[in-house]
Amino acid sequence: APGALTYNPAAGVILAAGSQTLSVTAAATANYNEATKTVTLVVDKAPTTTVVTVANATYDGLPHGGTANVTGANGLNEAVTVMYAGVSPTVYASTTTAPTNAGTYSATAKYAATANYLTSTDSNNFTINKLAITITAHTGQYKYCGQADPTSFAYSGSESLISGDSYSGSLGRAGNLNSGVGTYAYNIGTLSAGTNYYLTLGGTSTFEIKSITVDASATSAAIPQGTANKQLSALVTSFAGAANVGDASVTFTVTSN
């Protein structure tokens, strides 16, 4: 019988990628001399699989991103750096910093090839949705006919803004400054909380333009023709006469007989 066999490298050794020389030696016995056989083979690099995991989120002022992991032969299992970039129309330069603002982003990871492993990549998109807020105009807002609209209409939001964010602009209403007595629906107007928010109008409250009574009897006397200046005045009150109405605009038309 032949002598004991000795392998080099030893049986069970995992070979590195590249050209490898293997040999086996049979030990000498009473009837046989020692013998060795050598072969050369090429070990290919092992394939790898990179997986990027992401999830959609809603804007909350915090960064949102994903994770990436690569696996392969011989127990390869490790984290891979994730790169983020905006997906049009979202503008966000490629970076390892996870995004905070609302938009759609790509998360990409690449495992670089090594001496024993092939490269692999993966990419997934995710969205940071705008924070939805319902705006409700306060009830009971009004003006009297002839007055200017309030500088802004009072309102409240269904959600608080994230610290550091703020509203700009104002609610609008149907009609115009010359609209007559009646009720007018509110609209979002120019109100905005920035690009990270989606504002909608809720509720059923309306803005009211109330009627007035104009008493110009104090200046009802005839004015002689040729009078250079004559101050005219009128008392404007709520329709029921319960309260004076300030800053109402009254236009006088002088006629001749």
Side-chain angles (χ1 to χ4, degrees), residues 121 123 158 195 226:
T121 62
S123 182
S158 60
T195 56

Side-chain angles (χ1 to χ4, degrees), residues 145 212-217 233-239 248-252:
C145 187
I212 58 173
T213 298
V214 179
D215 180 4
S217 60
S233 62
L235 177 63
V236 181
T237 61
S238 59
F239 184 71
S249 176
V250 177
T251 301
F252 289 87

Side-chain angles (χ1 to χ4, degrees), residues 18 59 84 86 143 157 168 179 189 219 227:
Y59 172 72
Y84 302 97
K143 73 170 185 176
S168 63
S179 297
T219 56
T227 301

Side-chain angles (χ1 to χ4, degrees), residues 73-103:
N74 196 29
L76 175 66
N77 190 339
E78 61 187 56
V80 182
T81 299
V82 179
M83 298 293 294
Y84 302 97
V87 175
S88 182
T90 301
V91 177
Y92 193 71
S94 182
T95 177
T96 57
T97 302
T100 299
N101 293 327

Side-chain angles (χ1 to χ4, degrees), residues 17 43-51 69-77 111-121:
V43 179
D44 293 332
K45 291 184 179 183
T48 61
T49 301
T50 295
V51 176
N69 201 71
V70 63
T71 56
N74 196 29
L76 175 66
N77 190 339
Y111 176 73
T114 65
N116 293 316
Y117 293 100
L118 295 172
T119 185
S120 60
T121 62

Side-chain angles (χ1 to χ4, degrees), residues 143 173 175-180 209:
K143 73 170 185 176
R173 67 168 177 87
N176 54 53
L177 295 179
N178 296 318
S179 297
I209 299 179

